[in-house]
Amino acid sequence: MAVDRLLPTDEARDLIRLTRDVADKVLAPIVDEHEKAESYPEGVFATLGEAGLLSLPYPEEWGGGGQPYEVYLQVLEEIAARWAAVAVAVSVHSLACYPLMEFGSAEQQRRWLPEMLGGGTVGAYSLSEPQAGSDAAALTCKATAVEGGYRVDGAKAWITHGGIADFYNVFARTGEGSKGISCFLVPKDTDGLSFGKPEEKMGLHAVPTTSAHYDEAFVPAERRIGAEGQGLQIAFSALDSGRLGIAAVAVGLAQAALDEAVAYAQERTAFGRRIIDHQGLGFLLADMAAAVDSARATYLDAARRRDAGLPYSRQASVAKLVATDAAMKVTTDAVQVLGGYGYTRDFRVERYMREAKITQIFEGTNQIQRLVISRHLAG
């Protein structure tokens, strides 16, 4: 069911129509086969790039779409409603462009942004490590200054699009403590960079998640983004925007589950009536709809604050927390609506439930979001 959207401009309305057309014609027909086969959808991201959907919230002068975050997130939600794995990768690509856009020099932006934002290359984000997930300040991947640049040694974990993305934002230690971390823009073909086998995940099977290993990988000094030691500031600033992307993905996933559950409840009968007409089931669906609508309103509020130049870090964490918890509950309830059928892989709600779980974990677990929110309240 298409969501009626309040959009600020005719251009935004046209963009949503374009997104739905691409999602319905390109994504929806192949999502089931790729998720079941755990196969990468070759050509899909090139198609999204050609349609201008990969870098919407960035300036047109650099090849972006020049769209408000409020609009970009609704586009992301539409993609997620058809294919969550692809939507997550689109969100991560946007996240990977952020450090260069916001902290890069004019020369760095001139050299690399047009291709990144024009869809010519796809990016990934490398912050987490095997022993440093939520505690980003504890990372140990090291970048040692050498003539002309840095030698990078160490491992990164949980990289969406790992081994396939063309460039990687890598956060590595150049000094001591939380202010001893720097950000680097590393191309895929860097000597000394290799990737582990794809993780065997619960969901999001079509887009790989891997580890990365750096063995004396040389990164030129010109590929350091921002000042030395500015890495965590860059990482956390980027994550505020990335959390909104995951919130939008979660809402799209929840909307898809709600739509499947409503359609099933309208067709299935029990005791002489459609099951949607039984109050117990009807109220469950009503609660699901309320959760989806509330989560959408929450991420849009945060996005509008971002677009207005207002502080939005707390609101981004609230949106990520609310939307992903809602997605987990709504997809679980969708399985309940379908009963035994919902527990089989013949129906998509089983996949939606598996996919919803990771949204509560990446871009900062929901326990970390509560920590962020509580610190804002205390400070």
Side-chain angles (χ1 to χ4, degrees):
M1 179 178 65
V3 175
D4 291 330
R5 299 190 179 277
L6 295 174
L7 295 160
T9 63
D10 289 339
E11 181 184 11
R13 285 184 279 276
D14 290 341
L15 181 57
I16 289 295
R17 282 193 286 269
L18 169 65
T19 303
R20 286 174 174 167
D21 186 59
V22 171
D24 288 337
K25 292 179 179 178
V26 177
L27 303 183
I30 63 172
V31 55
D32 291 330
E33 65 177 275
H34 281 287
E35 286 296 332
K36 288 178 180 178
E38 301 190 19
S39 57
Y40 185 72
E42 297 288 349
V44 159
F45 290 93
T47 299
L48 295 176
E50 290 168 5
L53 300 180
L54 282 186
S55 300
L56 290 171
Y58 292 103
E60 292 178 282
E61 65 180 296
W62 296 118
Q67 291 298 313
Y69 229 69
E70 169 190 358
V71 175
Y72 157 66
L73 292 180
Q74 292 184 79
V75 167
L76 200 57
E77 183 191 328
E78 292 286 348
I79 295 172
R82 280 73 167 183
W83 199 340
V86 169
V88 166
V90 171
S91 178
V92 169
H93 171 71
S94 182
L95 175 67
C97 294
Y98 181 93
L100 180 57
M101 183 69 249
E102 296 298 326
F103 294 90
S105 68
E107 173 61 18
Q108 288 173 324
Q109 292 170 348
R110 184 191 65 78
R111 288 184 61 185
W112 298 313
L113 267 179
E115 190 172 28
M116 290 163 63
L117 296 181
T121 57
V122 175
Y125 199 74
S126 303
L127 178 61
S128 295
E129 295 183 1
Q131 303 301 323
S134 297
D135 185 5
L139 62 83
T140 60
C141 183
K142 189 172 183 179
T144 304
V146 296
E147 184 177 354
Y150 298 82
R151 292 286 182 189
V152 181
D153 290 278
K156 290 292 179 179
W158 312 117
I159 303 170
T160 298
H161 245 148
I164 291 178
D166 301 291
F167 65 91
Y168 298 82
N169 282 125
V170 178
F171 296 87
R173 185 165 294 285
T174 52
E176 299 299 322
S178 62
K179 294 186 178 180
I181 294 167
S182 300
C183 176
F184 301 90
L185 186 65
V186 179
K188 175 185 177 180
D189 59 0
T190 297
D191 289 339
L193 169 59
S194 61
F195 298 90
K197 70 178 183 68
E199 302 289 348
E200 297 182 4
K201 300 177 293 185
M202 182 185 294
L204 306 183
H205 291 149
V207 175
T209 299
T210 72
S211 58
H213 303 276
Y214 292 84
D215 183 10
E216 296 190 355
F218 177 72
V219 179
E222 64 188 14
R223 284 188 169 270
R224 191 192 72 220
I225 305 300
E228 194 169 283
Q230 199 178 10
L232 280 190
Q233 178 192 349
I234 295 172
F236 292 155
S237 176
L239 284 174
D240 283 339
S241 297
R243 285 164 181 163
L244 291 181
I246 296 306
V249 170
V251 172
L253 187 57
Q255 182 69 58
L258 172 63
D259 292 346
E260 293 268 353
V262 169
Y264 182 84
Q266 288 174 329
E267 295 175 359
R268 180 69 184 265
T269 60
F271 306 105
R273 292 190 295 169
R274 300 181 306 169
I275 63 173
I276 198 171
D277 295 323
H278 293 276
Q279 189 178 83
L281 202 289
F283 280 12
L284 178 62
L285 291 167
D287 285 342
M288 292 164 65
V292 174
D293 289 353
S294 298
R296 181 178 295 116
T298 303
Y299 87 63
L300 286 175
D301 173 71
R304 287 163 184 157
R305 292 179 64 88
R306 186 188 191 280
D307 290 334
L310 297 172
Y312 71 99
S313 179
R314 176 168 71 87
Q315 287 78 11
S317 285
V318 169
K320 199 272 186 183
L321 171 64
V322 168
T324 61
D325 280 356
M328 192 70 251
K329 185 176 189 310
V330 169
T331 55
T332 301
D333 287 345
V335 170
Q336 190 72 19
V337 171
L338 270 68
Y341 292 114
Y343 196 65
T344 71
R345 295 195 175 185
D346 293 331
F347 291 80
R348 288 178 173 177
V349 293
E350 175 270 342
R351 170 162 59 82
Y352 295 156
M353 181 178 171
R354 289 186 287 106
E355 291 173 335
K357 184 62 214 174
I358 189 59
T359 67
Q360 295 178 303
I361 297 171
F362 54 20
E363 308 288 28
T365 67
N366 282 7
Q367 286 69 34
I368 291 296
Q369 305 314 315
R370 290 177 170 90
L371 179 62
V372 170
I373 296 163
S374 65
R375 284 179 174 173
H376 275 280
L377 296 175

